[in-house]
Amino acid sequence: MFSLFYGLWKYLFSKIEFHVLILGIDKAGKTTLLEKLKSLYSNLEGLPPDRIVPTVGLNIGRVEVSNTKLVFWDLGGQSGLRSIWEKYYEEAHAVIFVIDASSPSRFEDAKSALEKVLRHEDLQGAPLLILANQQDLPEALSSEELARYLDLKKLDERVYMFEAVSAYDGMGIRESVEWLVEVMERSKRTEMLRVRAGAMGQDMMMTTTTMITTNAGPTGGRGQSAGITDVQNQTPYHQIQTIPMPLM
Ligand SMILES: Nc1nc2c(ncn2[C@@H]2O[C@H](COP(=O)(O)OP(=O)(O)OP(=O)(O)O)[C@@H](O)[C@H]2O)c(=O)[nH]1
Ligand SMILES: [Mg+2]
C-alpha cells in the first residue's frame, strides 16, 4: 500500500518543474553558483569563474536532481537591477539568497535587500535558503555568524536554512540542493502553484474557445510574465541560457 502511494506521489512530483530564484546583491557569487550547479548535476562543465561577467538580465540553468527538474533563475544583483527581481516572484517555488560571507562591508546592503524580498507578498510561504558563500576564503563568516549578524525578523513561519558554501570548490552545495528539493516537495506553496497552474490551464482552454467563437485578440495577464515565457521555452535540461534585459 505504502509503495502504491509513494509511486503516485513520485509520479505527481516527477511532472513538476521547480522554479528556484537565485537572488543576492552584486558580486555575491550567484552566477558562479549556477555554473557550479551545472557542473555538479550534469556532465557538462560550467563556465570557469574567470569567464563569468556581472549579470545584466537573467541566466537560466536547468538541471535534474534525482528525477526532480529544477529551473534556476539567476538575476543581476546590482542595485539598479533589483527592481526586476519581483517580476519572477509569483512563479517561484523557492528562493536562494546568496551572500558573500567574506565581505562584511556589504552585509548591510545584503540584509536590507533580503528583508525587502521577505516582505514581498508574492513570495509568501516560499522556502528560503540563505547561502554564506565564499567559504574557501579564510575571512569568511560561518553560517551561524552570518545568521546572528542578519538577525532577520521577518522569517516567521517560513521554512528556511542557512548553509555555508563555496561556489568555487562546491563545498555545501549538494546538501543545500537536497534540502531545497525536499522542502519544495512538501511545501504548501508548491501545492498552491500547482492548483493555480491547473486553473490557468483551464482558463487558457476557455480563452481559446472564446477566441475561436468570437475571434477576439489574445488576452494579456499572468501568463505573459517573463518567468513563464522562459520556462515554456523548450531548452533541454542542463543548459544555461542567458537572456539579456535592458537596464531600468
Ligand atoms: N573565492 C571565491 N570567490 C567567489 C566565489 N563565488 C564567486 N566568487 C567571485 O565573486 C565575484 C562575483 O561572482 P559572480 O558569480 O559574478 O557574482 P554575482 O552574484 O552573479 O554578481 P552579479 O551578477 O553582479 O549580481 C567573482 O569574482 C567570482 O569569481 C566563491 O565561492 N569563492
Ligand atoms: Mg551574476
Side-chain angles (χ1 to χ4, degrees):
M1 196 63 174
F2 171 77
S3 61
L4 189 67
F5 278 118
Y6 181 72
L8 181 66
W9 181 82
K10 260 294 181 208
Y11 171 79
L12 287 174
F13 279 109
S14 69
K15 299 280 163 200
I16 289 188
E17 200 176 53
F18 289 108
H19 311 147
V20 181
L21 262 177
I22 306 180
L23 302 176
I25 64 171
D26 52 299
K27 301 190 184 70
K30 301 178 294 296
T31 309
T32 312
L33 170 73
L34 184 67
E35 294 294 335
K36 183 53 96 179
L37 287 165
K38 185 176 148 189
S39 306
L40 290 174
Y41 290 105
S42 74
N43 46 16
L44 298 173
E45 270 304 305
L47 272 181
D50 59 355
R51 290 195 43 211
I52 293 172
V53 294
T55 307
V56 181
L58 166 72
N59 298 313
I60 299 181
R62 294 162 186 267
V63 300
E64 235 178 288
V65 178
S66 47
N67 283 336
T68 303
K69 291 175 173 138
L70 302 180
V71 182
F72 291 100
W73 294 331
D74 158 39
L75 289 156
Q78 294 170 51
S79 54
L81 297 171
R82 293 179 208 163
S83 55
I84 295 169
W85 293 359
E86 64 182 29
K87 307 234 179 307
Y88 295 85
Y89 289 172
E90 270 194 350
E91 316 302 329
H93 290 83
V95 174
I96 298 179
F97 196 92
V98 184
I99 297 176
D100 173 1
S102 72
S103 296
S105 62
R106 307 225 49 209
F107 286 171
E108 207 47 54
D109 192 13
K111 177 177 158 88
S112 65
L114 175 53
E115 283 175 338
K116 196 168 174 202
V117 169
L118 292 174
R119 278 196 303 270
H120 205 290
E121 61 174 21
D122 289 351
L123 275 177
Q124 260 182 18
L128 172 70
L129 174 63
I130 302 167
L131 298 181
N133 189 33
Q134 315 217 4
Q135 291 293 321
D136 53 289
L137 299 175
E139 63 272 29
L141 259 60
S142 69
S143 53
E144 293 79 13
E145 286 168 324
L146 187 65
R148 257 198 308 279
Y149 177 85
L150 291 178
D151 186 27
L152 297 169
K153 307 277 186 245
K154 274 296 230 173
L155 288 170
D156 300 334
E157 288 165 25
R158 194 181 293 270
V159 177
Y160 73 96
M161 181 173 80
F162 280 85
E163 182 79 29
V165 300
S166 166
Y168 261 19
D169 63 24
M171 170 198 157
I173 292 179
R174 281 189 188 276
E175 296 87 323
S176 302
V177 171
E178 276 164 28
W179 177 84
L180 204 58
V181 168
E182 201 189 312
V183 296
M184 283 193 297
E185 284 178 345
R186 288 190 281 115
S187 147
K188 281 193 191 140
R189 185 174 170 91
T190 296
E191 186 55 35
M192 182 274 285
L193 289 175
R194 200 148 52 102
V195 168
R196 201 176 73 192
M200 269 176 63
Q202 279 178 6
D203 277 0
M204 281 169 76
M205 279 168 66
M206 287 171 71
T207 308
T208 312
T209 314
T210 316
M211 281 170 69
I212 291 166
T213 52
T214 66
N215 205 18
T219 55
R222 278 178 187 280
Q224 304 301 308
S225 88
I228 288 187
T229 312
D230 298 336
V231 167
Q232 283 178 346
N233 158 333
Q234 292 303 303
T235 307
Y237 280 81
H238 312 311
Q239 281 198 5
I240 293 213
Q241 217 184 336
T242 302
I243 298 178
M245 232 184 256
L247 273 165
M248 293 186 80

